[in-house]
Amino acid sequence: MTDFPALSFDDLRLDSLRRRIGWLCQTLRFALVAYGLWILVTIVMFWSDESAVVSRFASLKVDVEGLSADQRLAAFGVSFVIWALLVVACYAGWRLFSAYLEGRIFTPDAAGWLRCLALAGLIAALVDIAARPLTSLILTAHKPAGAHMASIYLRPEDLSTLMLLATLLALAHIQKTAADIADENAQIV
């Protein structure tokens, strides 16, 4: 008799899977954390620098010269809410890639995490677009009546981001359906 535990076929398949996708899943999990931190640092640095705020909005033809620290803090609050939504998406991505590392690839829970990632990302992108006029109003609140600007602007990458996230949402639905069909077939056999 040996003291070594017997390896099952499933253990060997999981080890093989981890060798093939482990590095990718770990890299993406690290990238999600780095992205969340990078965005937070970026928004803190931007809203703490009045000249950067004035310059950025001047390029959008919005005069925010003379804004107060409270206005920048309120605008930071709007950005922080969007960042919090991104953190939800990053968490869902972390859970998705953790599920993949555990061998749960075409499963209902993995499809659920992909769906959560896509929905949180879509909501964050849509809130970001909707918050731009609000931010503009906050930053021009010190201007005389009639000079307040609710600047509505779309960036070219907005559409591509929305399309990518909608595609991920559709893929999550497809994966969930496939996992459900596989479960039904396994019960029949």
Side-chain angles (χ1 to χ4, degrees):
M1 228 171 162
T2 65
D3 291 334
F4 298 108
L7 286 178
S8 71
F9 180 69
D10 287 338
D11 290 336
L12 293 173
R13 283 187 4 192
L14 186 56
D15 287 342
S16 174
L17 175 71
R18 283 190 182 128
R19 278 193 304 278
R20 287 184 275 162
I21 68 166
W23 67 272
L24 180 61
C25 292
Q26 293 291 20
T27 301
L28 290 171
R29 289 184 346 158
F30 173 75
L32 289 165
V33 172
Y35 178 73
L37 292 173
W38 176 60
I39 293 299
L40 180 61
V41 168
T42 300
I43 64 172
V44 167
M45 289 175 51
F46 175 72
W47 290 113
S48 65
D49 183 357
E50 183 178 347
S51 63
V53 173
V54 170
S55 174
R56 171 88 48 87
F57 280 85
S59 71
L60 299 170
K61 312 253 188 300
V62 178
D63 179 18
V64 298
E65 193 74 44
L67 74 150
S68 70
D70 288 341
Q71 287 172 289
R72 284 188 290 123
L73 183 60
F76 169 79
V78 172
S79 293
F80 188 82
V81 167
I82 297 164
W83 175 79
L85 292 168
L86 285 175
V87 167
V88 171
C90 289
Y91 175 75
W94 178 277
R95 293 296 307 262
L96 173 67
F97 293 114
S98 295
Y100 289 170
L101 283 171
E102 293 168 4
R104 298 186 327 269
I105 296 184
F106 293 110
T107 61
D109 72 310
W113 285 116
L114 181 57
R115 182 178 186 268
C116 184
L117 185 157
L119 279 175
L122 270 171
I123 292 168
L126 292 170
V127 169
D128 180 43
I129 292 167
R132 292 173 194 162
L134 173 63
T135 301
S136 183
L137 285 171
I138 290 169
L139 296 178
T140 59
H142 65 287
K143 298 293 181 181
H148 302 288
M149 296 196 65
S151 175
I152 299 173
Y153 60 94
L154 291 173
R155 296 183 298 227
E157 63 269 15
D158 290 335
L159 183 57
S160 62
T161 298
L162 293 173
M163 288 188 321
L164 174 64
L165 292 166
T167 301
L168 284 178
L169 188 58
L171 184 59
H173 181 70
I174 291 166
Q175 284 190 348
K176 171 79 167 86
T177 303
D180 289 343
I181 291 169
D183 285 346
E184 288 173 14
N185 288 341
Q187 290 174 7
I188 292 170
V189 174

